[in-house]
Amino acid sequence: IVKNTPKDLSNRIGIYGGWGEGKTSVLQFINTIATEDEQIVIWFNPWQFTTPEELWECFVITFFETLKNNGVDVSSELFKLKGKKIVRKTIETTQSLSKIIPYAEAGLPILKNFLTTNRKILTKLSDKITDKKIIILIDDLDRANSSLIPQLLFAVKELLDIPGLTFVLAFDPMVVNESLKVNNYNIDHGKDFLDKIIDFPEWLPAPDEET
């Protein structure tokens, strides 16, 4: 799916399964195969963060440093990083996000500022790395702070809809749906919600006793 996605598009793949059913192992397989194929792989695990500011600041820095380590020209004047801290301008979030998730405004200005400043550069990344794909692996989404889960999902779908990026997110949809309910996010059908975010859902088969 990743290799056949046109470079002018982004996509989001979901690896679905319960805890302990092999989601992280699948991401490790993807990482090994993609690395051997000389693709650019970015690992990001949101479970360690408690605030949106920490989440998006680390995401941007990880993104920047991984590209740099892979020989992509991302000089400091293009990516507005200052002492490894994002320039925290107050920028209003997109109308659709603020309407759907009012509390998302807390940390999204960091991401929005980064994208506003660098979107033209990011959209041209595929021209700089014509023979590679940028694959962002997000593990343990279902273990993340429940208040961050809907924000991250919408950002991946709306703000980070950048040509050439592929997101592979591993999580238990049941746990994610419960997190949405806990945060008073009004959804009637969790599956319908995730269908709008994830382009290619892949359910792992539940392991039998022998496995």
Side-chain angles (χ1 to χ4, degrees):
I1 293 173
V2 174
K3 295 194 72 172
N4 289 322
T5 298
K7 298 205 70 175
D8 58 342
L9 298 177
S10 67
N11 67 10
R12 287 142 294 274
I13 301 169
I15 305 298
Y16 293 171
W19 288 349
E21 292 188 352
K23 299 185 298 298
T24 297
S25 295
V26 170
L27 292 188
Q28 290 171 343
F29 292 149
I30 296 172
N31 179 52
T32 299
I33 295 169
T35 301
E36 290 178 351
D37 199 36
E38 298 185 345
Q39 309 302 326
I40 296 175
V41 181
I42 300 172
W43 271 92
F44 187 69
N45 194 319
W47 72 266
Q48 58 189 307
F49 305 107
T50 58
T51 68
E53 289 83 4
E54 293 174 339
L55 174 75
W56 294 120
E57 191 166 275
C58 184
F59 176 84
V60 171
I61 291 172
T62 301
F63 188 88
F64 169 81
E65 290 185 341
T66 303
L67 292 180
K68 185 177 179 181
N69 292 338
N70 279 270
V72 180
D73 180 16
V74 285
S75 55
S76 59
E77 69 268 21
L78 301 181
F79 287 79
K80 304 299 182 182
L81 299 175
K82 184 178 182 181
K84 289 196 173 182
K85 292 289 183 181
I86 311 305
V87 178
R88 295 189 178 188
K89 280 187 179 179
T90 301
I91 294 183
E92 187 177 345
T93 57
T94 60
Q95 187 179 32
S96 58
L97 273 172
S98 59
K99 278 186 175 180
I100 295 171
I101 314 175
Y103 54 82
E105 295 185 5
L108 280 171
I110 295 174
L111 180 65
K112 192 74 190 312
N113 181 33
F114 170 74
L115 293 172
T116 300
T117 307
N118 300 293
R119 180 167 289 276
K120 288 183 179 179
I121 299 160
L122 289 169
T123 55
K124 293 181 180 180
L125 277 177
S126 57
D127 295 332
K128 293 185 177 182
I129 48 176
T130 55
D131 58 337
K132 298 180 186 295
K133 296 277 189 176
I134 300 175
I135 306 167
I136 302 172
L137 305 178
I138 299 181
D139 196 14
D140 285 339
L141 176 64
D142 46 11
R143 295 176 185 262
N145 186 314
S146 62
S147 65
L148 300 179
I149 291 176
Q151 183 186 121
L152 192 148
L153 287 171
F154 270 96
V156 164
K157 178 63 176 180
E158 295 191 14
L159 298 182
L160 292 168
D161 185 22
I162 296 169
L165 297 189
T166 291
F167 290 87
V168 185
L169 303 94
F171 61 93
D172 183 340
M174 300 297 292
V175 175
V176 168
N177 289 335
E178 286 302 313
S179 294
L180 296 172
K181 293 176 183 177
V182 166
N183 284 278
N184 298 317
Y185 182 70
N186 186 21
I187 56 171
D188 295 323
H189 304 287
K191 182 179 182 299
D192 295 337
F193 170 83
L194 289 176
D195 283 347
K196 295 177 181 179
I197 306 295
I198 303 298
D199 301 309
F200 299 98
E202 301 289 341
W203 277 94
L204 297 182
D208 56 27
E209 185 175 350
E210 182 181 0
T211 304

